[in-house]
């Protein structure tokens, strides 16, 4: 009775869905709305607002139609699922009734067999033996089931232990990798610090060496400036009455050999300057350092010359 009612309800629902879909699809077709050209829009400004309103209404209508269609499709799918569930439950109920009928028939058959067993002693003995064999078979089946259960439990335990071991191994590997990563990072930080300290130390040493070298060069420049002054003094024709207490600032250009390539008086007393220039040119070659760096500093030397009496 329940199965028949479900079928009738399913048929009625299918009919209703078909009618709704038929009319829904028929009413969803809309004639295309003609669009206006740019000239028509310019000339008919009064009609722009109504046309826009129709376009908006059509868009909303189409959206609503799509929504209704989707809703109908969802309802149809839900109804199909419900019908399938009803059919499945009906099929299960039918199978259950068939099974129950088969069980009842089996019981009835056993009852009749027992009545026959009472009448026939040999049949009763045979049935007793069969029951004993069946009991033994059931016992063996239970033992086999128990063995299978124990075997499955052992396999499950072994699997669990294996998975735990693998998980522990993976965790140990992760920790090892993490420790290695931290170690490398620490080594990198220490190495960077060492390199920084070494660079700072080298820079400091370089600065100190440069400072010492500069002091040495300055000493050499002063020494050779004094030697050049002495050379000029030796070749100078002096006149105490016109030169005493006076000086001249000279700018001299030298070759690596000490040869004078140019001499100029930049300031000072004219008499002293002329005499000093003459002395320089007379000497021709002035003392220069063999140290290239010191010579580069003295290639174009400028100093103040004061005659000595």
């Amino acid at each position: 009775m329940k199965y028949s009612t479900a079928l009738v309800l399913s048929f009625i629902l299918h009919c209703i869905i078909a009618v709704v879909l038929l009319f829904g699809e028929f009413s969803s077709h809309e004639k295309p709305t003609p669009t206006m050209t740019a000239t028509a829009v310019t000339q008919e400004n009064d009609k722009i607002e109504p046309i826009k309103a129709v376009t908006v209404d059509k868009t909303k209508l189409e959206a609503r139609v799509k929504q209704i269609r989707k809703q109908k499709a969802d309802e149809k799918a839900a109804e199909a699922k419900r019908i399938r569930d009803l059919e499945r439950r009906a099929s299960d109920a039918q199978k259950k009734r068939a099974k129950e009928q088969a069980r009842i028939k089996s019981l009835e058959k056993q009852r009749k067999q027992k009545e026959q067993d009472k009448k026939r002693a040999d049949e009763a003995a045979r049935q007793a033996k069969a029951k004993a064999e069946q009991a033994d078979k059931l016992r063996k089946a239970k033992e086999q089931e128990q063995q299978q259960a124990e075997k499955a439990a052992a396999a499950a335990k072994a699997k669990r232990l294996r998975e735990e071991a693998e998980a522990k191994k993976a965790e140990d590997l992760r920790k090892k990798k993490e420790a290695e990563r931290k170690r490398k990072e620490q080594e990198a930080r220490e190495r960077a610090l060492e390199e920084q300290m070494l660079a700072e130390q080298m820079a400091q040493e370089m600065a100190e060496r440069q400072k010492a070298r500069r002091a040495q060069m300055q000493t050499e420049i002063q020494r050779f400036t004094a030697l050049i002054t002495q050379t000029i003094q030796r070749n100078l024709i002096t006149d105490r009455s016109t030169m005493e207490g006076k000086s001249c600032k000279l700018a001299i250009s030298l070759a690596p050999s000490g040869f004078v390539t140019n001499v100029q008086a930049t300031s000072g007393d004219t008499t002293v300057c002329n005499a000093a220039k003459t002395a320089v040119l007379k000497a021709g070659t002035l003392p220069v350092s063999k140290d290239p760096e010191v010579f580069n500093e003295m290639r174009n030397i400028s100093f103040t010359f004061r005659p000595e009496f």
Side-chain angles (χ1 to χ4, degrees), residues 9-237:
L9 289 173
S10 175
F11 177 75
I12 292 172
L13 288 172
H14 275 79
C15 291
I16 293 172
I17 292 170
V19 170
V20 171
L21 290 175
L22 178 60
F23 282 97
E25 293 178 359
F26 178 78
S27 61
S28 65
H29 295 287
E30 296 289 342
K31 291 182 179 181
T33 303
T35 59
M36 297 181 68
T37 64
T39 304
V41 171
T42 305
Q43 293 175 354
E44 299 296 337
N45 290 332
D46 299 340
K47 299 177 181 180
I48 290 177
E49 292 303 324
I51 291 173
K52 287 185 177 180
V54 172
T55 304
V56 172
D57 292 341
K58 181 181 176 181
T59 303
K60 290 182 178 179
L61 180 59
E62 289 178 351
R64 179 58 180 167
V65 168
K66 289 180 181 179
Q67 182 182 4
I68 292 173
R69 284 183 178 177
K70 184 179 183 303
Q71 182 178 358
K72 289 177 180 179
D74 294 341
E75 291 174 355
K76 184 178 180 181
E79 179 59 19
K81 183 178 182 302
R82 190 183 69 81
I83 291 172
R84 287 196 300 272
D85 292 341
L86 289 173
E87 291 174 350
R88 180 179 55 77
R89 288 198 293 270
S91 177
D92 292 343
Q94 185 177 6
K95 290 178 181 179
K96 186 175 180 180
R97 286 197 300 272
K99 186 176 180 180
E100 182 63 19
Q101 289 176 359
R103 190 180 70 82
I104 292 173
K105 288 180 180 180
S106 178
L107 292 174
E108 182 64 18
K109 184 177 180 180
Q110 290 179 7
R111 186 185 62 77
K112 291 179 179 180
Q113 185 65 38
K114 286 181 180 180
E115 290 178 355
Q116 291 178 0
D117 290 342
K118 289 181 182 179
K119 295 178 180 178
R120 299 175 183 177
D122 53 348
E123 186 67 17
R126 188 185 65 79
Q127 288 185 0
K129 183 179 179 181
K131 288 182 180 180
E133 291 175 352
Q134 184 68 19
D136 186 62
K137 185 177 180 179
L138 291 173
R139 180 183 59 78
K140 290 180 179 181
K142 288 182 178 180
E143 289 179 354
Q144 186 177 4
E145 289 177 358
Q146 185 176 0
Q147 290 176 358
Q148 290 178 351
E150 292 175 352
K151 185 177 180 180
K157 182 178 179 181
K159 182 180 179 182
R160 178 177 57 80
L161 293 175
R162 185 170 59 254
E163 290 176 349
E164 290 177 353
E166 291 176 354
K168 185 177 183 301
K169 184 178 179 181
E171 180 65 16
D172 292 342
L173 181 61
R174 186 192 66 77
K175 290 180 179 179
K176 184 178 179 181
K177 288 182 178 179
E178 180 67 15
E180 181 67 14
R181 181 185 65 79
K182 290 181 179 179
R183 184 185 65 79
K184 288 182 178 179
E185 289 179 353
Q186 181 64 24
E187 288 180 353
R189 286 193 295 269
E190 292 176 355
R191 185 165 54 254
L193 182 60
E194 289 176 358
E195 291 175 353
Q196 181 182 358
M197 292 174 64
L198 180 60
E200 291 176 355
Q201 183 179 356
M202 291 178 64
Q204 184 177 359
E205 291 177 357
M206 180 65 70
E208 291 175 356
R209 284 198 297 270
Q210 289 178 350
K211 183 178 179 180
R213 175 61 176 164
R214 189 65 190 170
Q216 180 185 2
M217 289 176 61
Q218 193 63 33
T219 301
E220 283 289 290
I221 291 171
Q222 291 174 358
R223 185 168 72 85
F224 277 95
T225 300
L227 291 175
I228 291 171
T229 302
Q230 291 174 8
T231 301
I232 296 172
Q233 187 68 40
R234 283 197 303 269
N235 292 277
L236 181 69
I237 298 174

